[in-house]
Amino acid sequence: MKKFKRTSFAPKHKVVESDETNKEIQKDIADNIEILEDLFKDCSDIVFRPFLAGRVKAYLLFVDGFIDSAAIEMHGIRQLIEDLESERITADIIKERVVSISSIDETPKLDEVVSNVLKGNTVLLVDGVTKAIIFDAKGGNRRGVSEPTTESLIRGPREGFTEALRPNTALVRHKIRSNRLKILSKDIGEETKTGIAILYVEGLAQPELVDEVLSRLDRIKIDGILESGYIEEFIEDSPWSTFPQVQNTERPDTVAANLLEGRVAIIVDGTPFVLIIPATFWQFFQSNEDYYSRFHIYTFLRLLRVFFLFIALTLPGIYVAVTTFHQEMIPTSLLFSIAASREAIPFPMFFEALIMEISFEALREAGVRLPQVVGQAVGILGALVIGSAAVEAGIVSAPTVIIVSITGIASFTIPRYNMSMSIRMLRFPLMILGGMFGLFGVVLGTLVVLTHLCKLRSFGIPYFWPVAPISFKSLKDVLVRVPWWAMDRRPSQLVKEDRTRQADNLMPSPPKVGEEGSS
């Protein structure tokens, strides 16, 4: 392992470590361009655009497709030509009087020129000037802000993150317009140089949590980061656990709400999925819509989700255990019905249920991977046709098809897809235990899962909190959702100092008789 870490991240062709790029920018622009053209040899998307600023030769360097051509024309070339014909060109003059772009910097190093060009910035080199001017004119073809496809709501904002880093941070800044919202930037990936942003609210997020997040990110040494899932696997506490320990979301309102509870968010350039840490088990059963509609309705729906969580996890195992070992627990009429339906079935109950569960998962995966219109048809028609044909052919019994269908529907009630996947995986071991040991095996497997949840941690926070360890004050936003005027404190495990969320005594009350507005 040590040998791998030492050798795999130091490629011989690494640009920023070469002797050429370690040099400083020379006064003669021809020398600089010669070095840069050699470094970007066979890179057809790197544009070297020469032009004259008065009588002085200059170059613009950028990646074709990364920049806004109109911004370069307006702020880069045209003003240089118009304003510098009679000026002695210096870096300060260019920065202060010419390039009217808000994000502007300078560097005397060629390696920083290379790095900034590859990040999508535009670099200006002028003959006789020993500093390169770097300005942000990013543009190109990017997907605009649209409604998230994986977290659709009936009531709530319709905007979702995109694949661009700065528009994503702007969406969060639009929600939290406070100077306490801090955004730190880093690059990860030896080859991809993927930009990431770490967001937290100063005074709410514990400094130890922020330091731990930065420390784990600093330890990542890899050739490329193409999606936030890469980072999730590197920073989670227990990589062998099937349960997700980092929440991901496409919604800016979800990120803003979690930042205001003392959590930290990680935005990765190139993906709309933002990471939120730390995460607890109950977070994955909460939807944004829980907080946008009346609390009575969504308290009922939360309890319904927890009930169907138990169904999705244990129902196939209980069915196999009861029909195999505990027939005396089944009502007589139902037992006769099940026995009659299984009369011609050649497989034991366990294999029958296993065949149907695997078939259901295959149909669901096929529906996801196919184009959206075709996938929906395949999922619905495949389940109906295959289920009906299997029953008529005597391969499976009708009660088994019903049990598998209820289990599948129950898994769809879990709002977060990654948690739903974990529950779907765990029901197979419980089915095996139920087929081997009956209800004792199902209970034993369920206790193992609960013990694991109680031991699991996410960035030091108990994963099953506030149920274990129990916090009665924080239970008001777990199985139930109390009214907003009753949620006056932030989570105690996350925020230690500024825990007051709102003013006291905000509970609405009807006007007294005789007051203005009373009837």
Side-chain angles (χ1 to χ4, degrees):
M1 183 62 69
K2 291 183 178 179
K3 183 178 180 181
F4 173 78
K5 288 184 177 179
R6 184 175 63 251
T7 60
S8 60
F9 302 116
K12 294 180 180 179
H13 62 275
K14 188 176 179 182
V15 174
V16 296
E17 291 182 357
S18 68
D19 293 336
E20 299 292 340
T21 54
N22 283 332
K23 291 181 178 179
E24 294 190 352
I25 296 174
Q26 306 299 310
K27 280 191 174 182
D28 188 353
I29 194 172
D31 295 337
N32 301 324
I33 296 300
E34 182 180 0
I35 295 172
L36 291 170
E37 285 181 340
D38 182 61
L39 292 170
F40 289 119
K41 183 180 179 181
D42 296 330
C43 297
S44 61
D45 59 332
I46 307 297
V47 178
F48 289 77
R49 183 167 182 179
F51 65 98
L52 289 176
R55 298 180 179 179
V56 180
K57 193 171 185 180
Y59 274 84
L60 281 175
L61 277 69
F62 54 88
V63 179
D64 190 16
F66 274 17
I67 53 89
D68 184 352
S69 300
I72 288 183
E73 290 289 342
M74 181 62 66
H75 303 292
I77 296 177
R78 184 181 300 175
Q79 289 194 13
L80 276 173
I81 294 174
E82 292 177 354
D83 296 348
L84 292 183
E85 290 186 354
S86 60
E87 296 276 358
R88 181 179 178 275
I89 301 177
T90 65
D92 291 336
I93 290 177
I94 297 173
K95 285 180 62 178
E96 295 175 6
R97 297 178 50 191
V98 179
V99 184
S100 56
I101 293 179
S102 58
S103 177
I104 185 169
D105 200 358
E106 64 180 42
T107 178
K109 297 288 187 179
L110 281 175
D111 60 344
E112 294 186 14
V113 169
V114 173
S115 177
N116 277 279
V117 169
L118 294 175
K119 288 178 182 178
N121 293 322
T122 303
V123 176
L124 172 64
L125 292 171
V126 181
D127 193 23
V129 179
T130 57
K131 292 182 179 179
I133 306 302
I134 302 165
F135 55 95
D136 187 354
K138 292 187 180 73
N141 296 321
R142 288 278 188 168
R143 182 173 68 90
V145 176
S146 59
E147 184 175 0
T149 57
T150 60
E151 299 176 71
S152 58
L153 301 178
I154 297 175
R155 178 177 181 177
R158 301 302 184 194
E159 58 189 7
F161 289 117
T162 69
E163 286 75 16
L165 180 63
R166 282 308 165 198
N168 289 345
T169 59
L171 286 171
V172 180
R173 179 70 73 179
H174 182 72
K175 298 289 184 183
I176 306 179
R177 303 176 186 181
S178 168
N179 63 335
R180 296 173 66 186
L181 174 62
K182 306 301 179 182
I183 304 178
L184 308 179
S185 297
K186 292 179 65 67
D187 292 333
I188 299 181
E190 299 295 313
E191 302 297 336
T192 59
K193 305 293 183 185
T194 305
I196 68 171
I198 301 96
L199 288 72
Y200 66 96
V201 177
E202 189 177 40
L204 299 183
Q206 297 185 53
E208 296 82 4
L209 174 61
V210 178
D211 293 341
E212 181 64 22
V213 171
L214 295 174
S215 174
R216 296 191 188 188
L217 291 174
D218 288 337
R219 291 200 298 265
I220 299 176
K221 303 296 180 183
I222 190 174
D223 56 352
I225 298 291
L226 303 180
E227 214 276 336
S228 57
Y230 285 45
I231 292 178
E232 180 177 351
E233 289 196 34
F234 278 113
I235 64 175
E236 60 187 357
D237 288 51
S238 301
W240 298 109
S241 175
T242 60
F243 291 98
Q245 298 143 59
V246 178
Q247 181 183 346
N248 64 73
T249 181
E250 289 186 84
R251 302 190 62 88
D253 53 335
T254 300
V255 173
N258 281 278
L259 291 176
L260 292 175
E261 289 189 345
R263 293 184 174 89
V264 177
I266 300 176
I267 301 178
V268 181
D269 192 18
T271 176
F273 290 92
V274 175
L275 305 180
I276 299 173
I277 48 182
T280 62
F281 177 79
W282 306 105
Q283 257 179 265
F284 297 93
F285 296 90
Q286 298 171 356
S287 171
N288 293 61
E289 208 164 9
D290 295 2
Y291 303 97
Y292 300 152
S293 299
R294 293 181 61 78
F295 67 95
H296 315 82
I297 300 170
Y298 282 94
T299 293
F300 167 73
L301 291 179
R302 281 193 182 182
L303 294 173
L304 195 68
R305 289 172 198 154
V306 174
F307 171 72
F308 277 105
L309 161 66
F310 179 78
I311 295 296
L313 180 63
T314 63
L315 183 60
I318 291 175
Y319 175 69
V320 170
V322 170
T323 54
T324 304
F325 295 98
H326 311 286
Q327 295 90 347
E328 69 278 1
M329 297 179 64
I330 306 175
T332 304
S333 57
L334 180 59
L335 180 61
F336 287 155
S337 176
I338 294 175
S341 65
R342 283 192 44 80
E343 186 176 1
I345 306 300
F347 304 110
M349 177 57 69
F350 169 73
F351 287 105
E352 180 187 352
L354 186 63
I355 290 171
M356 285 306 301
E357 284 287 353
I358 293 176
S359 301
F360 187 87
E361 292 297 329
L363 283 171
R364 178 152 44 181
E365 186 67 12
V368 171
R369 302 305 163 199
L370 288 171
Q372 186 174 4
V373 177
V374 180
Q376 292 177 354
V378 168
I380 297 171
L381 294 177
L384 291 174
V385 172
I386 293 177
S388 177
V391 172
E392 292 180 3
I395 299 175
V396 296
S397 61
T400 304
V401 174
I402 295 172
I403 293 296
V404 171
S405 301
I406 293 174
T407 304
I409 294 172
S411 66
F412 290 142
T413 63
I414 301 174
R416 307 295 174 184
Y417 181 74
N418 49 358
M419 177 59 74
S420 175
M421 287 289 295
S422 299
I423 300 302
R424 284 159 54 186
M425 286 179 57
L426 287 173
R427 71 166 173 257
F428 287 99
L430 290 181
M431 281 177 57
I432 295 173
L433 291 172
M436 295 175 62
F437 307 108
L439 286 178
F440 174 77
V442 176
V443 173
L444 180 63
T446 305
L447 289 176
V448 170
V449 172
L450 288 174
T451 303
H452 173 69
L453 288 173
C454 293
K455 292 175 61 179
L456 201 59
R457 286 180 173 266
S458 175
F459 282 79
I461 302 299
Y463 192 64
F464 218 48
W465 180 85
V467 174
I470 193 166
S471 173
F472 291 103
K473 291 183 178 180
S474 299
L475 287 175
K476 60 177 68 175
D477 192 25
V478 178
L479 297 178
V480 300
R481 203 279 275 181
V482 298
W484 264 114
W485 42 261
M487 291 194 290
D488 55 350
R489 295 292 182 268
R490 296 186 174 95
S492 59
Q493 280 280 352
L494 300 172
V495 181
K496 299 300 183 183
E497 296 180 0
D498 186 10
R499 293 195 55 212
T500 302
R501 190 200 300 268
Q502 60 193 26
D504 296 330
N505 303 320
L506 291 183
M507 179 179 178
S509 57
K512 296 179 180 179
V513 178
E515 289 185 355
E516 184 179 355
S518 62
S519 57

